[in-house]
Amino acid sequence: MTDKNKDLIDQKLQDLDNDGVDRRGFLKCMAWAGTGLVWTMSGGVPSSRAFAKTAHRSGGNGADFSFVQISDSHIGFNKPANPDVTATLQVAINKINSMAHKPDFIIHTGDLSQLSKPSEFDTLDQALKGASAKQIYFVPGEHDMLTDNGEQYLQRYGKGTKGSGWYSFDQKGVHFVGLVNVANLKAGGMGSLGHEQLEWLEDDLKGRSASTPIVLFAHIPLWTIYPDWGWGTDDSEQALSYVKRFGSVTVLNGHIHQIMQKVEGKVSFHTAMSTAFPQPAPGTAPSAGPMKVPADQLQRVLGITDVNYLVSGRSLAVVDSPLADSGSSASGSGGGPGGR
């Protein structure tokens, strides 16, 4: 990513004083942010429960496995929207550790760091060492590629991956695919997967039974939410054409720092909140970027997504459960696609 693009992105994301957002109006729209879910999988069918209802009891009992999604930690960010993002990440980790049923792994859907500095990645790794789930899978966000086109990210978290960091793995009959749509991202532009990655994805999915549950995860949403802010992926339609034949597809993304969902056929789309700071709802501000809320409200608009997969005849449900519900005890390991 060029210095010019880096400056443009950083200017957009750190312009906190003139965002034009009605904070009171935002806080009335809590469906946009602050959700935490436990997802479990049993028989390949996804189901979810509010995190607050499962954190202190065995919410994953009867499931084949469960996992947690965290996103947009932005370690190194220290503006008024959240002057201590490491502390709110730690609250998220505490929340994970308070679960009676330990998740099998964690997925981080990008923007681990604010400026892709070694010290920021070091801080993230140190915090994640205390997470109860030691297996952690990553995909990069645009902030993880600011200074070196993602070389440091790949060295730390991309061992064994293809291209700019894409890969797949299987867990108890479910096929997970981590995609990268932030390489060569233009400021304010839409995400892109690119020809090489799309060819790899098509090949990766070939030969798999249509009954195989598929989970795709990437940083920028794989469905078009608000193109004026770059909230979508230009070539996602081609990627999604490869999963149409599968009976159960779940798509997990970050980037927009708020919960949005839709179900299209057998594909369920879900975006995650940030552990760092909220962003305005689409079109409610001049541009995307960190949104300052009263300090006592911050943890209500941050959170994590816990995923349980259970046999269920219902479609995916999304229920709000912000970080504010968690305890205050401290604990705090990172890994690449294969964990560390």
Side-chain angles (χ1 to χ4, degrees):
M1 183 173 293
T2 66
D3 289 341
K4 182 178 180 181
N5 284 340
K6 172 187 171 183
D7 291 342
L8 285 170
I9 290 174
D10 198 46
Q11 179 181 347
K12 266 195 168 187
L13 291 179
Q14 299 199 35
D15 182 8
L16 301 172
D17 298 322
N18 300 291
D19 57 16
V21 176
D22 179 350
R23 270 78 174 188
R24 183 176 299 176
F26 170 80
L27 291 171
K28 291 179 180 178
C29 192
M30 295 302 291
W32 294 104
T35 301
L37 300 175
V38 178
W39 301 48
T40 56
M41 176 166 260
S42 181
V45 179
S47 181
S48 60
R49 300 184 183 197
F51 186 90
K53 296 180 180 179
T54 58
H56 300 292
R57 60 191 177 107
S58 299
N61 283 353
D64 288 346
F65 68 91
S66 65
F67 66 92
V68 173
Q69 178 194 6
I70 61 177
S71 196
D72 296 273
S73 301
H74 287 275
I75 297 300
F77 179 90
N78 62 354
K79 301 298 181 179
N82 185 354
D84 194 348
V85 295
T86 303
T88 49
L89 173 62
Q90 187 62 61
V91 173
I93 293 170
N94 294 344
K95 198 172 180 74
I96 294 168
N97 292 345
S98 71
M99 296 172 65
H101 182 82
K102 177 182 174 181
D104 291 68
F105 55 87
I106 295 170
I107 287 176
H108 195 305
T109 46
D111 278 353
L112 290 66
S113 66
Q114 177 67 9
L115 298 172
S116 59
K117 293 180 178 179
S119 60
E120 295 171 352
F121 291 127
D122 288 344
T123 298
L124 177 81
D125 291 347
Q126 186 62 37
L128 290 177
K129 283 181 181 179
S132 59
K134 300 304 179 183
Q135 180 70 62
I136 306 178
Y137 298 93
F138 297 93
V139 287
E142 73 276 12
H143 281 257
D144 304 317
M145 294 188 158
L146 285 179
T147 60
D148 58 2
N149 291 320
E151 290 184 15
Q152 184 179 189
Y153 168 87
L154 286 174
Q155 290 174 3
R156 289 179 179 250
Y157 311 106
K159 293 179 181 178
T161 63
K162 308 290 185 181
S164 54
W166 57 82
Y167 60 98
S168 64
F169 65 95
D170 295 285
Q171 175 81 7
K172 297 183 179 179
V174 180
H175 189 61
F176 288 79
V177 184
L179 299 173
V180 178
N181 54 5
V182 296
N184 302 312
L185 185 68
K186 297 179 181 179
M190 298 271 280
S192 176
L193 296 165
H195 178 72
E196 182 183 0
Q197 185 173 193
L198 287 167
E199 282 198 330
W200 171 85
L201 176 62
E202 183 180 22
D203 184 68
D204 179 74
L205 296 173
K206 277 182 179 177
R208 298 187 185 277
S209 168
S211 63
T212 302
I214 304 294
V215 177
L216 305 179
F217 59 101
H219 181 62
I220 297 176
L222 291 176
W223 50 296
T224 301
I225 295 175
Y226 198 67
D228 288 354
W229 289 355
W231 286 5
T233 301
D234 280 329
D235 46 7
S236 60
E237 186 174 349
Q238 184 174 349
L240 294 171
S241 72
Y242 301 147
V243 298
K244 285 183 177 179
R245 66 184 181 88
F246 293 96
S248 173
V249 180
T250 303
V251 180
L252 303 176
N253 303 119
H255 187 58
I256 70 172
H257 296 214
Q258 57 198 270
I259 290 297
M260 296 189 71
Q261 68 159 339
K262 76 168 183 174
V263 177
E264 192 172 279
K266 297 177 180 178
V267 182
S268 297
F269 298 84
H270 179 82
T271 63
M273 76 302 296
S274 168
T275 67
F277 52 81
Q279 292 201 71
T284 62
S287 66
M291 185 171 67
K292 185 179 179 181
V293 297
D296 61 351
Q297 302 289 335
L298 180 60
Q299 288 191 22
R300 299 186 183 183
V301 291
L302 305 177
I304 63 176
T305 302
D306 306 307
V307 188
N308 299 292
Y309 278 88
L310 294 168
V311 174
S312 172
R314 298 185 297 274
S315 61
L316 187 68
V318 177
V319 184
D320 284 292
S321 177
L323 289 187
D325 291 338
S326 67
S328 59
S329 61
S331 54
S333 162
R340 287 200 270 176

